[in-house]
């Protein structure tokens, strides 16, 4: 998720460089600015550490926390997985369509291999379709074939 973020500290109010999201001075979280300043400290004992970034408020944003949980969902008990997916349907309204199509949808479709999650995942996909959050090429290339395979019996 975060590996695709390009850091650019310019005064432009640019949101993208090519296809990469950009953090500019105007949309830069304060915690990230402080972390970056700390990286540039001449005194190595005073430099920012990776753990400073990982436990910052910026990295513990609800969107990032949701993505971290989704990455590890198969490690949790069935009830926890189902509870998470129930809550996910409401939280996805806050996600950009790009994140939904490139990250969330592939992860959800991968979870179709777990029979107890199929109904919840289909509900989420239908909800996203109603809200026009799934791009047509993504639907045709990945969503429809995956749903078709599940409903026709693997």
């Amino acid at each position: 998720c975060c590996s695709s973020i390009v850091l650019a500290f310019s005064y432009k109010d640019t949101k993208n460089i090519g296809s990469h999201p950009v953090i500019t001075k105007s949309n830069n979280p304060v915690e990230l600015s402080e972390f970056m300043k700390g990286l540039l400290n001449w005194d190595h004992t005073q430099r920012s550490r990776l753990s400073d970034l990982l436990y910052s408020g910026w990295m513990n944003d609800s969107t990032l926390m949701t993505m971290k949980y989704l990455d590890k969902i198969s490690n949790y008990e069935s009830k926890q997985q189902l509870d998470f997916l129930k809550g996910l349907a409401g939280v996805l309204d806050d996600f950009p369509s790009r994140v939904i199509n490139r990250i969330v949808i592939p992860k959800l479709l991968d979870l179709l291999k777990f029979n107890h999650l199929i109904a919840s995942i289909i509900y989420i996909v239908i909800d996203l379709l109603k809200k026009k959050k799934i791009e047509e090429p993504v639907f045709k290339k990945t969503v429809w074939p995956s749903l078709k395979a599940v409903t026709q019996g693997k």
Side-chain angles (χ1 to χ4, degrees):
C1 151
C2 299
S3 61
S4 65
I5 295 176
V6 175
L7 299 176
F9 293 96
S10 67
Y11 286 98
K12 294 182 204 172
D13 195 18
T14 309
K15 300 292 182 202
N16 288 297
I17 291 180
S19 63
H20 299 284
V22 175
I23 297 174
T24 63
K25 282 195 179 213
S26 63
N27 69 358
N28 181 9
V30 175
E31 293 94 349
L32 183 59
S33 290
E34 294 302 317
F35 177 78
M36 296 302 289
K37 285 178 191 174
L39 283 177
L40 301 173
N41 196 322
W42 284 102
D43 181 0
H44 69 89
T45 63
Q46 299 297 313
R47 267 189 216 131
S48 298
R49 298 177 312 236
L50 182 58
S51 61
D52 297 335
L53 180 63
L54 291 175
Y55 298 107
S56 71
W58 182 69
M59 286 296 284
N60 290 314
D61 172 72
S62 61
T63 304
L64 288 174
M65 289 176 67
T66 302
M67 298 308 298
K68 287 178 192 177
Y69 194 94
L70 189 55
D71 282 338
K72 298 178 182 180
I73 192 170
S74 59
N75 298 335
Y76 295 100
E77 300 288 326
S78 297
K79 182 174 178 358
Q80 291 172 312
Q81 293 171 342
L82 290 168
D83 288 343
F84 172 76
L85 290 176
K86 285 179 188 174
L88 182 63
V91 174
L92 287 176
D93 290 341
D94 299 332
F95 282 56
S97 291
R98 180 179 175 157
V99 172
I100 290 172
N101 286 279
R102 293 189 179 176
I103 299 171
V104 175
I105 292 294
K107 289 180 183 189
L108 287 175
L109 295 177
D110 186 52
L111 293 173
L112 287 172
K113 61 188 171 200
F114 301 109
N115 290 333
H116 67 283
L117 300 178
I118 292 173
S120 296
I121 293 168
I122 290 174
Y123 172 81
I124 292 170
V125 169
I126 290 171
D127 191 50
L128 290 171
L129 286 168
K130 286 180 184 175
K131 295 175 182 173
K132 301 187 185 311
K133 289 270 195 170
I134 299 177
E135 297 165 356
E136 187 176 341
V138 172
F139 179 78
K140 287 181 178 178
K141 186 177 177 186
T142 58
V143 175
W144 179 245
S146 296
L147 293 179
K148 192 174 174 184
V150 168
T151 57
Q152 291 182 348
K154 305 171 187 172

